Amino acid sequence: MPKGQIIKVLAGFYYVKDQNQIIQCRARGRFRNDEIKPLAGDYCEYELRENNDGYLMELLPRTNSLIRPPICNIDQALLVFSRKDPDFSTLLLDKFLLIYEHLQIEPIICISKMDIESDDHIEQYIQEYRQAGYTVIPISSKKKEGIEQIKDVFKDKISVITGQSGVGKSSLINALDVKLNLETNEISKALGRGKHTTRHVELIEMFSGYVADTPGFSSLEIDMELVEAAKAYRDFHKLSEGCKFRGCLHVSEPDCKVKQAVEDGIISKERYDHYLQYIQLIKKNKERQYG
Ligand SMILES: Nc1nc2c(ncn2[C@@H]2O[C@H](COP(=O)(O)OP(=O)(O)O)[C@@H](O)[C@H]2O)c(=O)[nH]1
Ligand SMILES: [Mg+2]
Ligand SMILES: [Zn+2]
């Protein structure tokens, strides 16, 4: 049976890309009742009928999935944070990193609006996040700086672009000179029709990769176990192998390599404090859930 990848979900149809063809597929009965709904990004087996129509027959295992936008097998998330307007928020960035690391989606930090001169510590932050093991790409859409690097990032990957409203996502897309309808969700929300767009998702081909046409921002929740959070950040993950206790949460345990790294100035105090806040939050959520 031929295989392909769903690149668009619209009005009950699944558009499956196989080599250079797009096959418009209907789902077979079993998918309607199944708990697993086919998503953009799914690899599938399909049955070809005439006129490039077909039936979706089987889904192959996923590596990961997101609820908003509803796509799966995502390689990476471009986390867009502006240097200013809105202010660069390491608290929010650390939350995003925690969540995307846990989902096994490679986070790429994009710092936008670098042309806005400011008395901040942005260069220091860039160093710190690189030191932690993350790719950081400073850009200015206005001055067209860093744009080529972003193009390289998209190559051969499935990506989502995410970030608060106003950070410059649309401006970046414009600077990349491709057509993505990143506005869809915001507009339909304003019109009170948010729900209609959530089932319509398309992966747009871009620099021989795919980018989801809707931003992946709304209501990202930290939904993980404490021990998972303790190993989510890549530098924490490496260090935690040396912690004395298995399942060390790097809070008050003795002989903790993460705490040691904070003391040695290898991990910034600020990022560690954010980590502690999120650990507290996860604890509270668990208590609320299970009493
Ligand atoms: N100075 C400067 N302003 C920018 C840059 N990129 C975007 N902006 C401005 O930031 C505001 C929000 O940009 P927009 O792309 O709509 O953000 P979005 O909500 O994330 O899509 C607009 O007024 C843009 O002109 C940049 O590189 N430099
Ligand atoms: Mg926008
Ligand atoms: Zn530890």
Side-chain angles (χ1 to χ4, degrees), residues 175-191:
L176 290 166
D177 209 17
V178 288
K179 285 210 161 54
L180 274 195
N181 191 10
L182 281 180
E183 235 58 72
T184 330
N185 264 357
E186 283 153 41
I187 290 169
S188 56
K189 230 183 270 160
L191 295 172

Side-chain angles (χ1 to χ4, degrees), residues 146-158:
I147 305 301
E148 290 305 311
Q149 249 181 300
I150 299 286
K151 289 184 183 177
D152 283 342
V153 160
F154 287 137
K155 273 209 181 87
D156 305 321
K157 301 271 170 62
I158 295 187

